[in-house]
Amino acid sequence: MSPARRDRGPAEHAPGEPAGAQDAGPVVLWEFAVLLRLLGDTHLGAARAVPRHAAHGDVDLPLDRDPASGAPRLRATTLAGLLRHELARRAGERRAARLFGDADGASALHLDDAVAELPAGAGVAVRTGNRVDPATGAAVPGGLWQAEVLPAGTVFAVRLHLHVADAAAEAELLGLLAAAADGLTGEGPGIRLGGRGGRGYGAVRAAAWHARRHDLTREDGWFAYYGRTWRERRADLERGLAGAPGDVRAAVGAVLAEQCGAAAAAAFAEAAAAVPDGRRWAEVRLGVAVGERPTEAFLGGWRPGEVRPGLLMVGDAPRLDRMDTADRVHLRRPADTSGQLAEQPLLGDTALFALFKRIGRRLARDLGEARGADWRAWHERWWGADPATGGGSGPPSRIRLRRAPVIDEGSPWRAARLTVDALFADAVAGRMTTEELHCGGRAEVVLDVWEPDEAVLGMLALVVRELATVAFDTAGSGAGAGHGRLAVVSAEVVPAPGEAAVDVLAAVGDPVGGHRARVQRWVDAWTSALAGGEEGT
């Protein structure tokens, strides 16, 4: 079958091209393979509550799986939607429609489903969680759920095809694809795969890009693509991932330079650089220690670095090889740190996010009720609705945890507990449990705030102050026994990309410094917003 777009006479084609191959411009097909590596827990949910191929079980949220093999998969529609959303957020809907199409035109970029390849010796994990009441911080009765998650280190080899119908648009389309792929670098707020992305799930990085270009107006280019079976095309792309660069710009630039010359590679680089990045977000970067500040830290001056180590329990079921030594253990997961995959203790995702949200809610409630304002609407605008307290299914939270934070240093702490009879104060026979908590250590936490104003920055600055001074709220379980205290030891707010960071702890400790003036302006905007005034800009 000829790749012709319109009929021509047999003498109207150029030498070396099949008859009828020319039209308004060359027809080019790009093949891409990208190796996506998960950096933390990821839940890619199934379209059906219980897939046809899966056995019935106790898991409430199963993974989406390939019907033929039963292996977890990443659907093409899922990744295409995420790439389109990322490009639209950066460059606007009009440019996104150029690559992904709209109601009047088909997408130039086509993707295939990809099957997960789990790390050696690892399997799909079942994560047990419990909905947390945002007002009290306690577990909601009956709010227990179980979800299948893919561990860090899982990879997907995804295949993409870019159809270029006009030579003049090739550099532009490649530049748009490069801009969308910038969300897969693993840095910044970028693309998150699957559900619970606001809690730090789904962080992903493109580890390798391989590209092949086929000029379908030439006989050799046409047969180089269509002369292979689907199996051969897939194998060729996946073989090319070995040693391939991690940046799509490098992969495309090398192919263009080889096939079309340096001028074509330069045109692509210029087109990619011309795609604007209109995203607006703020970053809150925190250093969090497991423990609390002793009284001495406030005497004789503000010393935010002094923290007495404490115990933390974000509960998880022990692995099979540890079930005989502990009934419950602190959450540990494989995590990608500096390119190395290792099991690490985590600060928690749902528990940590719920802590920030609970403090923000309390602050808004205390000020809003005192002023007779509708504080709930303002709170839900940023943190999302609370179904457990009668909230609706409104927009999701605009404050998001970038990744589940890994705890550096510290050590496991094993403790035995006895159930005490409330009437006689005696130990209940046979009711002893063993827990393995985590003691001490520090973690780096990043919160992303989309489309921020000064009011929400003021609220977050006050949340930091609460955790940097005397923290009344805790994370995880065991609050009644003194567990779950967290102390902020460093805090910077970057109001917008490229702006200078504001040191919130310097503002807390120095009432006349420049950082204090900036934070005070944010807090004033917050109080004005809750009183029904104009929000800061």
Side-chain angles (χ1 to χ4, degrees):
M1 178 179 178
S2 170
R5 286 293 184 100
R6 55 192 176 93
D7 293 333
R8 288 173 178 255
E12 294 185 59
H13 65 280
E17 296 176 344
Q22 291 186 338
D23 60 3
V27 179
V28 175
L29 177 64
W30 281 83
E31 289 184 286
F32 293 95
V34 56
L35 192 69
L36 300 181
R37 186 179 304 277
L38 300 183
L39 306 180
D41 281 357
T42 301
H43 174 74
L44 298 169
R48 297 167 57 91
V50 180
R52 301 186 198 93
H53 55 268
H56 290 269
D58 296 329
V59 177
D60 304 292
L61 301 173
L63 291 169
D64 187 37
R65 296 177 182 270
D66 180 69
S69 66
R73 68 175 172 180
L74 171 61
R75 287 179 181 254
T77 51
T78 297
L79 185 56
L82 291 171
L83 288 170
R84 179 180 186 131
H85 181 70
E86 181 72 9
L87 182 57
R89 178 178 276 172
R90 290 170 179 266
E93 185 59 39
R94 183 180 64 83
R95 282 188 172 89
R98 286 281 294 145
L99 181 63
F100 291 96
D102 54 19
D104 299 323
S107 173
L109 185 68
H110 300 165
L111 295 84
D112 296 337
D113 291 350
V115 175
E117 181 181 340
L118 276 68
V124 172
V126 176
R127 179 77 182 273
T128 301
N130 205 322
R131 189 183 301 278
V132 176
D133 189 309
T136 64
V140 176
L144 187 70
W145 49 264
Q146 288 186 320
E148 288 185 314
V149 294
L150 296 170
T154 299
V155 297
F156 293 94
V158 183
R159 296 177 298 279
L160 307 88
H161 300 79
L162 178 65
H163 298 258
V164 181
D166 183 359
E170 183 175 12
E172 178 193 7
L173 292 176
L174 289 170
L176 292 173
L177 173 60
D182 284 341
L184 296 171
T185 61
E187 303 296 333
I191 291 174
R192 296 293 180 268
L193 298 181
R196 304 184 67 79
R199 271 61 171 175
Y201 277 45
V204 62
R205 179 177 64 239
W209 280 91
H210 173 62
R212 296 187 65 175
R213 180 180 183 272
H214 305 280
D215 185 349
L216 301 183
T217 64
R218 298 184 59 84
E219 184 175 10
D220 54 352
W222 193 86
F223 282 104
Y225 179 73
Y226 289 104
R228 297 174 298 155
T229 65
W230 284 108
R231 186 185 299 274
E232 290 171 336
R233 296 176 200 169
R234 182 167 55 248
D236 288 345
L237 285 175
E238 294 183 358
R239 277 196 300 268
L241 287 171
D247 183 7
V248 66
R249 288 172 171 80
V252 170
V255 172
L256 285 174
E258 179 183 354
Q259 292 191 13
C260 307
F268 158 68
E270 182 179 353
V275 179
D277 188 352
R279 295 176 301 166
R280 287 188 60 246
W281 83 93
E283 293 181 6
V284 183
R285 306 168 181 167
L286 306 176
V288 178
V290 179
E292 58 184 316
R293 278 200 180 79
T295 305
E296 295 78 13
F298 303 98
L299 301 177
W302 170 244
R303 299 194 296 275
E306 295 188 16
V307 177
R308 179 186 296 121
L311 296 174
L312 178 66
M313 169 56 79
V314 178
D316 194 21
R319 297 194 310 248
L320 291 176
D321 58 349
R322 297 167 63 190
M323 293 187 69
D324 59 339
T325 60
D327 299 289
R328 193 168 63 148
V329 298
H330 177 74
L331 177 64
R332 298 177 68 91
R333 282 289 185 272
D336 190 320
T337 56
S338 303
Q340 299 295 322
L341 188 65
E343 187 177 77
Q344 302 280 356
L346 301 185
L347 197 56
D349 36 59
T350 301
L352 183 63
F353 186 86
L355 173 66
F356 292 137
K357 183 175 181 178
R358 185 165 68 254
I359 296 175
R361 185 181 190 277
R362 173 166 52 80
L363 293 171
R365 182 199 64 203
D366 292 347
L367 181 62
E369 288 182 349
R371 300 194 175 199
D374 184 10
W375 61 271
R376 287 186 177 84
W378 188 92
H379 173 77
E380 290 181 358
R381 175 189 173 193
W382 294 102
W383 293 102
D386 295 324
T389 57
S393 56
S397 173
R398 292 164 63 179
I399 303 172
R400 303 170 67 84
L401 186 64
R402 183 172 295 181
R403 289 174 63 177
V406 172
I407 302 177
D408 294 324
E409 301 179 343
S411 60
W413 183 280
R414 185 165 298 170
R417 302 180 61 182
L418 289 171
T419 301
V420 177
D421 188 291
L423 179 61
F424 300 103
D426 291 336
V428 178
R431 297 298 298 273
M432 185 177 76
T433 58
T434 302
E435 296 180 335
E436 188 176 285
L437 303 93
H438 192 82
C439 179
R442 300 192 178 191
E444 299 298 322
V445 179
V446 179
L447 294 173
D448 294 308
V449 188
W450 284 106
E451 301 294 331
D453 57 29
E454 291 193 333
V456 71
L457 297 182
M459 180 271 296
L460 290 172
L462 293 177
V463 170
V464 170
R465 185 199 62 180
E466 292 287 303
L467 292 171
T469 52
V470 182
F472 293 99
D473 297 272
T474 61
S477 63
H483 301 166
R485 303 287 181 186
L486 301 178
V488 170
V489 295
S490 65
E492 290 184 340
V493 175
V494 181
E499 290 193 17
V502 178
D503 190 331
V504 179
L505 292 195
V508 173
D510 183 2
V512 296
H515 294 286
R516 177 62 170 260
R518 188 77 179 274
V519 171
Q520 186 63 56
R521 193 176 79 189
W522 296 343
V523 174
D524 291 343
W526 175 70
T527 56
S528 175
L530 280 182
E534 294 294 326
E535 295 186 356
T537 58

